[in-house]
Amino acid sequence: MKTRYLILEDGSCYKGYAFGSDNYQVGELVFNTGMSGYQEVLSDLSYCGQIVMMTYPLIGNYGINRDDFESLNPAVFGFVVKEACEKPSNFRGDMSVDEFLKLKHIPGIYGVDTRAITRKIRNKGTMRAIMADEGVNVEETVSMLKNTDFLHDQVKRVSTQKPFPIPNRGKKVVLMDFGAKHGIIRELSKRNCDLIVVPYDTSAEEIMALHPDGVMLSNGPGDPKDMEGPIKEIQKLMGQVPIFGICLGHQLISLACGANTTKLKFGHRGCNHPVVNLASGKVEITSQNHGFAVEEESLAGTDLVLTHRALNDKSVEGVKHSKYPVFSVQYHPEASPGPEDANYLFDDFMKLMEKENM
């Protein structure tokens, strides 16, 4: 077993063992509380620039399969686990997590105390980190981490470079790709939507020239305030076409309407986050992955109405526009991984397009 270290910007150094590749990169260390779904987590492009730590101790026991990817080219910068299963057992499994990480040039470390690291992040907030080999100069590495800025171009890195269609015979939906999960495409395709996936920097004029029945704003990585260009285009789209935003898309809609976003201390990442639908009073268990949130106080004076709230920290989880056919949620109704309690939101989007295009 090859020794590997995980070094944090606060000077902490955790000794563990290597798996995956040795393509070390500075990333934001975050934790995910899901008990399963590690394949979807690894392939979720919203983790671009981040080192993901799973709080559930045993990872890899069912391997990696061909069906559960949320992207084909993962953008995660590292993977931290307590135990890494070397010999997975599942009829769908094609390879181990170790083999997958090596294939995709992602470094991993196992054998570290993930509970202790999680408590540190909960107390101090997310922080920069990097993996390193034995013999590393920890003090120099910590100094480097402190002087390294977080990325600001994650969406550009993960968005499609060219538009592409996913033909069908139903409503025409333009999906603005900020790092879209395949789950969003699957849910729209299930509803026979004729999809056109476009790059994140596509103009409102180009989108409307496609004569869409609706526009979907996808999830994606990074600080929503880095997306000044797309925010302006979303402002132009409002009132012209129904819009549904998920995660980063939700934040961009809020910013486009004059609300504000802030960075959370350690974010929401996992499959078991309770959210209340304020209209029905029903609680939904949701899948989440975000480090930023909309400030509820900033909704005052905008045309946005709060529709969903997190039960754990009371943060904003959904809004709708009071004048235009526009709504969004902070969590993932497509799940992947996670519960499908909020899957009905895609049906709501279909009904909104039907109503607006009668």
Side-chain angles (χ1 to χ4, degrees), residues 202-205 227-238 252 255-256:
T202 304
S203 70
E205 291 76 17
M227 295 286 100
E228 292 183 7
I231 289 170
K232 292 177 182 177
E233 301 309 316
I234 292 167
Q235 288 172 335
K236 297 175 188 176
L237 288 170
M238 286 186 182
L252 296 179
L255 288 171

Side-chain angles (χ1 to χ4, degrees), residues 36-44 47 62 68-70 336-337:
S36 62
Y38 53 80
Q39 180 172 339
E40 294 92 328
V41 168
L42 282 168
S43 57
D44 184 347
Y47 285 111
Y62 55 87
D68 292 340
F69 291 109
E70 289 303 310
S336 305

Side-chain angles (χ1 to χ4, degrees), residues 8-14 29 31 53 113-127 265-266:
L8 280 55
E9 67 174 290
D10 70 346
S12 304
C13 181
Y14 298 91
L29 182 63
F31 63 84
M53 178 175 62
D113 188 345
T114 52
R115 291 183 67 183
I117 302 172
T118 300
R119 289 174 67 90
K120 181 184 290 287
I121 293 174
R122 281 182 60 86
N123 291 331
K124 296 186 176 182
T126 61
M127 59 185 80
K265 188 175 182 180
F266 48 82

